[in-house]
């Protein structure tokens, strides 16, 4: 769980750096599209791998449910950023990224707790 949280946190952090670069007009749309698509793909892969592991105990069931929901929020948020960029709506990126900032904080916290 800790490794999965850390890996997806890395994807979200990368995406948020791209959003910050776009806000400063330092990252063109095509670059952002590739960056965000890769971040989404990586996070989605981790989410799928995590979901395929059977929890060893009832305590782990709760952990699995909590992290599973957070991973889904991350992947959905990354998908929304990718869609926003591909529609050419770069001015909306910062607003679309706000929920991901909270997800990133929670992922980092869980990663540290569970390592």
């Amino acid at each position: 769980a800790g490794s999965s949280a850390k890996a997806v946190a890395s994807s979200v952090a990368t995406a948020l750096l791209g959003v910050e670069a776009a806000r400063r007009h330092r990252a063109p749309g095509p670059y952002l599209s590739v960056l965000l698509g890769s971040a989404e793909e990586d996070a989605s892969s981790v989410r799928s791998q995590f979901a395929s592991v059977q929890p060893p105990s009832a305590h782990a069931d709760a952990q699995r449910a909590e992290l599973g929901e957070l991973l889904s929020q991350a992947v959905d948020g990354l998908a929304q950023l990718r869609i926003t960029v591909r529609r050419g709506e770069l001015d909306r990126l910062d607003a679309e990224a706000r929920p991901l900032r909270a997800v990133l904080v929670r992922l980092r916290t869980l990663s540290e707790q569970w390592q």
Side-chain angles (χ1 to χ4, degrees):
S3 296
S4 295
K6 185 176 182 178
V8 173
S10 178
S11 294
V12 171
T14 298
L16 292 176
L17 284 173
V19 169
E20 178 61 22
R23 189 180 68 73
R24 294 177 182 210
H25 305 288
R26 299 200 175 183
Y31 169 79
L32 289 171
S33 178
V34 171
L35 176 83
L36 296 172
S38 293
E40 178 189 4
E41 187 176 303
D42 292 347
S44 183
S45 176
V46 171
R47 179 182 63 177
S48 294
Q49 289 173 350
F50 180 76
S52 71
V53 175
Q54 179 177 335
S57 68
H59 172 71
D61 287 343
Q63 189 179 44
R64 182 179 188 273
E66 179 181 9
L67 185 56
E69 176 60 28
L70 203 53
L71 296 179
S72 291
Q73 289 174 17
V75 171
D76 292 347
L78 292 168
Q80 187 57 49
L81 291 179
R82 175 186 47 79
I83 291 165
T84 299
V85 166
R86 290 187 181 168
R87 288 180 177 161
E89 299 170 343
L90 299 182
D91 57 323
R92 292 188 48 230
L93 269 181
D94 201 45
E96 296 288 344
R98 281 189 196 114
L100 275 178
R101 290 183 180 98
V103 169
L104 177 59
V105 169
R106 189 71 185 129
L107 285 169
R108 285 179 172 163
T109 299
L110 292 178
S111 172
E112 290 172 11
Q113 277 181 322
W114 295 340
Q115 286 291 326

